[in-house]
Structure formats: C-alpha cells, structure tokens
Amino acid sequence: MLYRDHGIVLRTHKLGEADRIVTFVTEHRGKVRAVAKGVRKTKSRFGARLEAPSHVALQLYEGRELDIVTQAESVDHFRDVRTDLDRLARAVTMLEAADQLSLEREPNPRLYRMLLGALRSLAARDSPLVPAAFFWRVLALEGFEPVVDACVTCGTTEDLVAFDLSEGGVLCRADRRGQALSPGALDLMRRILAGRVAGVLEEPASPATVELEHLAVRALEHHIERRLRSVGLLDRG
Amino acid sequence: MAVYAAPVQELIDELGRLPGVGPKSAQRIAFHLLKLSREDALRLAKAVVEAKDRVAWCTRCFNVAEGELCGICTDDRRDATVVCVVEEPRDLVAVEKTQEFRGRYHVLGGAMSPIEGIGPEHLRVKELLARIDAEEITEVILCTNPNIEGETTAMYLARLLKPLGLRVTRIASGLPVGGDLEYADELTLGRALEGRRELEG
C-alpha cells in the first residue's frame, strides 16, 4: 500500500550495491525505515534529498519490515547546517537522540515537530545550546521533565546547587547529590523548560551554557541508557 | 543432519561470507565451482593466494600496492606536490580513470560518521598530516563522497589543513554529463549554479 508522509532523515545505511536503508522520523508514523533503491548511483533522482538531516515529503510503499521510498521531494535541506562542521555535528547529535527515542511505526508527531524546530533554529543561528534545549524539551515530552523549582528531597526553593540524574531534579545545599549546578545554568534550564527557548539561544557562550550543554547530554544518555556516539567526535583524532 | 558433504558445506559457508553473497547465491557458486574442470577451479584458488601474498598497502598513500609503494607513488612523472584525498582505493581508481589528475593520492580508509561513532582516529588522518611537510605538498584536493559522511570528513580535514598554509580544494558537485536538468535534485543543481564558470567566448 502506498502512503504519503513528511519526514526528517535521521541516518542511512548502505545496502547491497547501490541502495540505502534510510531511517526517517515521520510526522504521522513515527520512525520509518525504508529502502531507497539505486540512490548511491550518480544518476539517482533523489540521492541528495535522502541525506541527513533533510526534511522531505515522501511517498512510500509499505512493506512488511522495510518500506520502499517511491518518491522524495525536498522541503528543506538545511544547507547552512550541512556546510558548517560545528552545526552539522550538533544536528547529528540531535538526530542520534531522535533515533534512540522514537519507536518504529509508533506515531510521535511532537518529537517530529521538536526536531524540525530545532533544526530550523540551528539553520538560523549557530548556538551551542540548540541540542541542549532540544534534549531538555524532549525529556519533558517523554514524561521526564526535570524538577527545577524546588529541591526534590525537602522541597525548599532556596539555595539550589546540585542536579541529580536519577532523581531527575535539583537539590538544595543540605541534600546535595549528583553534580554541582550553577545559578546561571539553573536559570537557563528553567527558561528552556518554560518554553522561552528563543531568548536562551541568544545567550553568548559562557561557563553556564557549557555546563548546561554537558548536563543535557548526560541527562539524555541517562534516559536512553546508552552513550551518544556523536558527542565530541570532532575533538578526537 | 548434514545435507551436504562436509567440504561442500565448508565451501558454501566461506562463499556466504563474501559481501553481497547470500546463502542461496553461495550455494549456486559452490556448485558452479564443483562443476568446473580442476584447472579452472585451481586458477581461481591461485589468483586468491597470489593476490593475498603479493598485494599490500602502499606505505605512503595506502593504495593497494605490489611492493612497498604503489605504482602511482613510484611514478616520477607525477606531480608530488598535489595530493588527492579519497575514501577507498576504489575511489582512487574512479579518479584515475578520468585521466585528469596527475598528482598523488592519499587513501583515508573510510569516512567520518558521527552517528556510527567513526571519528578521525579511525581514519588515516595523522598519516596525511605527516605527509604535508615531508613531501612539500602545496595542494590537497578533498575528493571524498558527496554524501553526509564524505562532506563531514572534507570539512574536518579542511579545518585541519588550512592553517598549514596550503591550498585546500574540494571537488565540485554538478550535473551528470548527458543528464536532464529537470530531473536534477535541488541540492546538486544549486551547487552546480554556485560553482558555475565563465565560458571562453
């Protein structure tokens, strides 16, 4: 059966001589894995459209395990993201997270929209906080919204200095566990979770933004119970 | 219960480990080999042994080589100051077939793929950097695949190489010769426009 959907390319695998298996997160069907035939040939009509992190309008033929891409039309290929190594690395980290968080053929339109929004923000400006904001928002979507207003142990709203991953929230000085959290990072985190992301992304890089970036990656890794492979890859070598 | 005699089964299993050969194909190839005359089958066996014994990786560019250096690296007519960086030896062959390039190569042995966790440390990047000064290289052509992994690798290498003060170029993307404009995808056509060149009138 043929169906249409919009999707974002998360990753691709080579298949056989000239084909690829493309993993999408789609608007209506959750994660979809589909075979794109002949896309590695230079004469392929939709090869370039099916590269991460493209946003595409698709027509697919439903298969038992893998679907088949019959048509792909580009909606946005995020050129500014692709041509900038740092932004591309940030985008790939978000794609990897989305791949881990989405389930095959389990609709999750909000995850799709959040990822699309995050990629658009990244295309508009290079802010290191785009993945962090995406991670916190996605965790909240998954039902793991961190508690940031009061200490998760005693409930006090004063002197919050630590964040514990397994508790999923902040802690006061007396109950502190997990890792230290600066007031600056806490403020950024509250603003992200309250939905005031645009303002946060304008923030210049500072120790607080770096702290939040690392904490977001660790919180997400804690949730998916595995490491994100694409984090920090460019710094190795 | 074993359906085939042990040596036949072993042959099928070995063939089945080759890329792109499934169990059915392995079976078909095995029976084809059994039907061949002894000389024909041994010629294949000998070719495999010869290739394994005599072919190694070129110590300079990591292309396949019959000795320490490959045929391209030992050819003095080639321009040693220009190096074309490719992912695999197969890509080197593709570039060589154009007969447009007269410099040397460097085979990375793959491309970076952040999502698979393949970073620069898995590729022959350090070896490339070591060659720059030693061979007085003045231009590096980044000839990795125009897909996301290849682009990532090219951008990463450009970032490493640029500060060394040499010319770093990336192969152009454009339309296949003999193709139709209307079938081109936006990204390729966009790049073809961007990289347009003036015609000599």
Side-chain angles (χ1 to χ4, degrees):
Chain A
M1 192 196 73
L2 280 174
Y3 66 95
R4 285 164 181 276
D5 208 336
H6 275 71
I8 300 163
V9 179
L10 297 180
R11 60 191 301 179
T12 61
H13 298 273
K14 286 183 183 176
L15 177 73
E17 194 81 349
D19 309 341
R20 272 182 204 283
I21 296 176
V22 186
T23 310
F24 303 96
V25 60
T26 62
E27 192 171 8
H28 303 295
R29 296 193 170 218
K31 184 155 74 179
V32 168
R33 298 200 313 138
V35 178
K37 295 198 169 161
V39 291
R40 280 155 62 204
K41 292 186 184 159
T42 46
K43 281 190 182 162
S44 166
R45 283 171 298 112
F46 47 66
R49 295 176 189 148
L50 297 177
E51 288 281 335
S54 296
H55 178 204
V56 280
L58 295 162
Q59 180 173 299
L60 298 119
Y61 183 80
E62 191 171 351
R64 220 159 32 146
E65 204 160 303
L66 292 168
D67 296 353
I68 296 168
V69 182
T70 55
Q71 278 178 38
E73 213 172 316
S74 179
V75 179
D76 192 345
H77 44 250
F78 299 111
R79 194 166 175 279
D80 293 339
V81 175
R82 283 184 186 212
T83 50
D84 175 342
L85 189 56
D86 295 308
R87 280 198 245 189
L88 184 59
R90 295 192 222 295
V92 170
T93 305
M94 296 196 292
L95 299 179
E96 189 185 354
D99 186 21
Q100 291 296 321
L101 289 163
S102 53
L103 296 172
E104 273 186 48
R105 298 181 198 196
E106 191 76 38
N108 192 346
R110 289 182 63 198
L111 174 70
Y112 163 82
R113 280 199 291 271
M114 270 185 197
L115 180 62
L116 190 56
L119 288 171
R120 283 177 179 155
S121 313
L122 203 56
R125 66 179 99 66
D126 183 19
S127 163
L129 282 181
V130 172
F134 173 69
F135 292 168
W136 287 120
R137 305 267 294 160
V138 162
L139 283 173
L141 170 71
E142 293 273 301
F144 292 88
E145 178 158 359
V147 178
V148 289
D149 295 324
C151 171
V152 288
T153 306
C154 69
T156 177
T157 56
E158 302 288 315
D159 208 16
L160 302 166
V161 294
F163 188 91
D164 186 39
L165 294 173
S166 41
E167 293 279 358
V170 292
L171 293 146
C172 69
R173 195 172 295 280
D175 298 316
R176 69 172 180 271
R177 267 197 312 277
Q179 57 194 105
L181 183 71
S182 69
L186 176 62
D187 174 57
L188 289 171
M189 205 162 140
R190 283 179 175 164
R191 283 160 62 192
I192 289 169
L193 291 166
R196 300 199 303 270
V197 178
V200 173
L201 297 182
E202 297 295 334
E203 292 281 329
S206 66
T209 62
V210 174
E211 189 186 337
L212 190 70
E213 237 184 294
H214 290 297
L215 187 62
V217 169
R218 241 166 292 155
L220 193 93
E221 287 178 339
H222 182 79
H223 176 63
I224 61 175
E225 296 178 335
R226 69 185 275 286
R227 298 295 297 266
L228 287 173
R229 288 194 276 207
S230 53
V231 171
L233 194 86
L234 299 178
D235 308 324
R236 307 207 302 250
Chain B
M1 190 192 79
V3 182
Y4 298 117
V8 180
Q9 187 62 50
E10 209 165 291
L11 181 60
I12 294 174
D13 290 347
E14 284 304 318
L15 289 169
R17 285 162 62 181
L18 298 174
V21 179
K24 276 282 173 202
S25 310
Q27 199 175 311
R28 210 177 58 227
I29 299 168
F31 278 101
H32 173 76
L33 290 174
L34 288 176
K35 250 195 271 171
L36 288 180
S37 68
R38 191 177 159 74
E39 298 85 80
D40 284 345
L42 284 182
R43 205 167 47 237
L44 172 66
K46 198 164 148 250
V48 174
V49 173
E50 286 268 299
K52 280 313 279 184
D53 283 350
R54 294 193 17 212
V55 174
W57 305 112
C58 171
T59 51
R60 184 188 282 158
C61 73
F62 302 96
N63 180 19
V64 285
E66 240 186 283
E68 175 134 341
L69 292 175
C70 69
I72 292 168
C73 285
T74 48
D75 185 349
D76 341 311
R77 285 168 304 173
R78 298 190 76 110
D79 184 355
T81 61
V82 185
V83 165
C84 177
V85 177
V86 293
E87 291 180 20
E88 303 286 350
R90 293 193 303 270
D91 302 327
L92 183 156
V93 174
V95 177
E96 223 18 42
K97 273 191 190 157
T98 64
Q99 301 184 357
E100 293 281 338
F101 181 65
R102 299 299 302 160
R104 286 182 182 160
Y105 292 91
H106 186 85
V107 182
L108 287 172
M112 282 167 66
S113 173
I115 209 157
E116 314 271 353
I118 301 172
E121 74 275 21
H122 297 103
L123 307 173
R124 299 187 190 104
V125 172
K126 279 202 195 82
E127 290 86 342
L128 174 63
L129 293 178
R131 287 181 65 183
I132 304 295
D133 272 343
E135 293 171 41
E136 292 172 3
I137 291 165
T138 55
E139 180 178 355
V140 173
I141 305 171
L142 299 171
C143 202
T144 50
N145 285 328
N147 54 30
I148 208 82
E149 290 84 10
E151 294 290 351
T152 308
T153 313
M155 286 192 281
Y156 177 82
L157 289 177
R159 184 178 281 189
L160 283 186
L161 295 168
K162 274 271 179 197
L164 304 179
L166 40 93
R167 190 163 174 235
V168 181
T169 52
R170 175 86 175 111
I171 47 158
S173 284
L175 301 168
V177 176
D180 271 13
L181 267 189
E182 60 170 324
Y183 287 115
D185 66 281
E186 309 74 29
L187 209 62
T188 309
L189 190 52
R191 287 214 199 157
L193 269 175
E194 193 183 67
R196 68 188 182 277
R197 61 160 94 178
E198 209 163 318
L199 277 182
E200 299 297 321

